[in-house]
Amino acid sequence: YSVDVWLKERGWFLTDNIINENAKLLTQKHLKGDFSENSIILEVKHASGSKILLEVFEYPIYKNGKLSGLQGVAHDVTARKLYEENLKKLFKATEQSPVSIVITDVKGRIEYVNPYLLEITGYTLDEVIGKNPRIFNSGNKTREEYKELWDTILDGRLWKGQFRNKKKDGTYYWESASISAIKDDLNRITHFIAVKEDITDRKMILEQLMDAKNKAEEANKTKDLFLAN
């Protein structure tokens, strides 16, 4: 808006968003001299017809020792707030995910695990944060296999495979995992993320099917040998 248009609008072009009700209350408190360091978030109608979010910092204007008005600065935080909302959604999805998620730093120290991993393994959050994911290892993979894994993710590529891991109580379980690097704006690796699905039941069913197949083939061999004799 132009300055002239803006000065004629006493309502600041506010939308009917509920956040503006809280903003009005804070401004009213400021006009009474009750100031805080908190900023005010407004949703405003842009001249183009869109809606934007402004973060406003208000300060008092005094004349002859008395509060006569307010002055302030405002900046557009629409993109930042959208980014924050997307982060909240992503975090919520991660926390409620039915697969295990582990994030480590570049040295392999665990910085984050979601609740499902704790549920699967029996560990508490304090027991895994700062540790290396090898605490889940059962010794099933060889040193060469781990070297191939690290060579892949350090090269920035996605590694996929399976682990036979061990829970806190010593119980073994199988996971199908995807591990990749997280990079910053300069294309430097800052973290690694592993997304792992528990496939223990699937493995058990497959083993039972293979066992049944082997028994059937053995029975056929026995039958053929009997008939030949």
Side-chain angles (χ1 to χ4, degrees), residues 174-209:
W174 282 93
E175 289 183 315
S176 175
S178 297
I179 305 176
S180 60
I182 300 174
K183 297 182 179 181
D184 62 14
D185 294 338
L186 298 177
N187 205 36
R188 297 174 301 191
I189 295 175
T190 61
H191 295 81
F192 297 105
I193 180 170
V195 180
K196 304 183 291 181
E197 179 187 5
D198 185 356
I199 58 170
T200 308
D201 291 342
R202 195 185 310 168
K203 275 278 189 182
M204 188 178 300
I205 293 172
L206 183 59
E207 288 176 3
Q208 291 172 350
L209 288 173

Side-chain angles (χ1 to χ4, degrees), residues 141-151 159:
K141 282 195 175 297
T142 65
R143 183 174 298 179
E144 290 74 19
E145 288 175 308
Y146 277 112
K147 182 180 183 304
E148 189 269 334
L149 186 160
W150 277 102
D151 287 346
W159 181 90

Side-chain angles (χ1 to χ4, degrees), residues 38-118:
N38 297 328
S39 61
I40 301 173
I41 302 296
L42 304 172
E43 186 180 77
V44 177
K45 296 176 185 176
H46 191 275
S48 66
S50 62
K51 297 177 181 179
I52 63 171
L53 293 172
L54 297 179
E55 183 175 35
V56 182
F57 292 88
E58 293 182 334
Y59 305 96
I61 299 174
Y62 290 102
K63 287 185 178 180
N64 300 321
K66 293 183 179 180
L67 179 66
S68 64
L70 300 174
Q71 61 183 334
V73 292
H75 58 282
D76 187 347
V77 293
T78 309
R80 190 189 82 191
K81 286 295 182 181
L82 178 61
Y83 179 72
E84 290 174 355
E85 285 299 316
N86 288 336
L87 277 181
K88 288 179 183 178
K89 293 175 186 176
L90 180 60
F91 180 74
K92 195 72 172 179
T94 302
E95 288 286 286
Q96 296 181 353
S97 175
V99 296
S100 299
I101 298 175
V102 181
I103 297 177
T104 73
D105 62 15
V106 290
K107 294 185 177 179
R109 293 174 296 214
I110 296 174
E111 290 189 358
Y112 171 83
V113 297
N114 68 335
Y116 189 75
L117 179 133
L118 302 177

